Amino acid sequence: MADSATAPPPAAIEAPAPAPAPPAAPPAEAAPFSLWSFPGRQRPGIRLTSEFDSESSVFFHKLSLKLFDNLAKLKLSFNNDHRGQVSQPQLAFISKHLSLHYDLEDHNTLLKGSFDLAPGLNLRAVHDVNAQQGELSVLANLSDPNYAFQLSSPVPSIGLVPKATLKFPLGEVSLEEREDEEVKRVLSINGIVKANVFNGVCTAQYADDDLKLRYSFKDEQMSFLPAISLPSNALSFAFKRRFGPSDKLSYWYNFDADNWSAVYKHTYGKDLKFKTGYDSEVRLGWASLWVGEESGKAKAAPLKMKIQFMLQVPQDDIKSSALMFRVKKRWDI
């Protein structure tokens, strides 16, 4: 048997050529410093709030943004009428320890500062640049955090003893030296004290030789608030009655002037409120409808917008009734 031909060896398998190395990336440049954030941080959003009042026919605008990674805030506010004229422009820089308010029309600056000198010791200062006047105060928290002592004095000093205020859990009392009409220095005492009496709160406020006493009782359905001023003996009282989670009636009467007012309020959920009332002093009846929480901010309202419609009907001249509205809208840019 003939020998078979020898088979050629299998072809060698060539290894794939290595992939070329990627080009070296250029060195990263340092992020430029930004007024509104630290290097490498994303710029925060800008908040613009606009409000219009049909009674004054004036727009109010406020523009704000946070700076230095939310350590400070910059605000710009101004008014403009239907002709586009800008008025009362204000620029403010606000931080934890220092704030600056600049009036662009009057070219005046108001400076406010607050600094901790030591644990429990705070220094506060206010200065009006144009008036060259201000106030300097020192607040010291005593051993109990509910007690504090404050000394404040105008700058420049007018020679009077600094005002001293003692704050405690039930209120505060202040002593201040003043100059009366005869250019005599007298010591003035002002203060407010609160205490629990008969399941309510009794408040005594003394200022400028006038003492106001008020008692407040409140439960889940009713509130009763009588008040009297001495030595004028002016007496008034307020009464509030809640008929359910959505209905409440408020009534106020002044015995000295024989004036009274009443307000009925009905809410439809959180963002819709109807109110109607009457004021005997100005002989005016009114009704209003709030779309968006009345006491809340536009941020929490639907579409970040609040609207109020109000109808005013004078009792003496019904033909001069007026329908007014207010709109407040916020944009986050």
Side-chain angles (χ1 to χ4, degrees), residues 30 45 48 94 117 123 166 180 198 206 224 262 265 302 310:
L48 173 63
I94 302 173
L117 301 178
L123 174 66
L166 176 63
D180 60 8
F198 299 119
Y206 183 80
F224 182 64
K265 178 176 68 175
M310 173 173 282

Side-chain angles (χ1 to χ4, degrees), residues 246 267-273:
S246 303
T267 58
Y268 303 87
K270 179 182 178 182
D271 298 311
L272 189 61
K273 179 187 297 184

Side-chain angles (χ1 to χ4, degrees), residues 293-305:
E293 190 175 359
E294 179 181 4
S295 58
K297 297 182 179 180
K299 176 183 179 180
L303 302 179
K304 298 181 180 180
M305 181 171 62

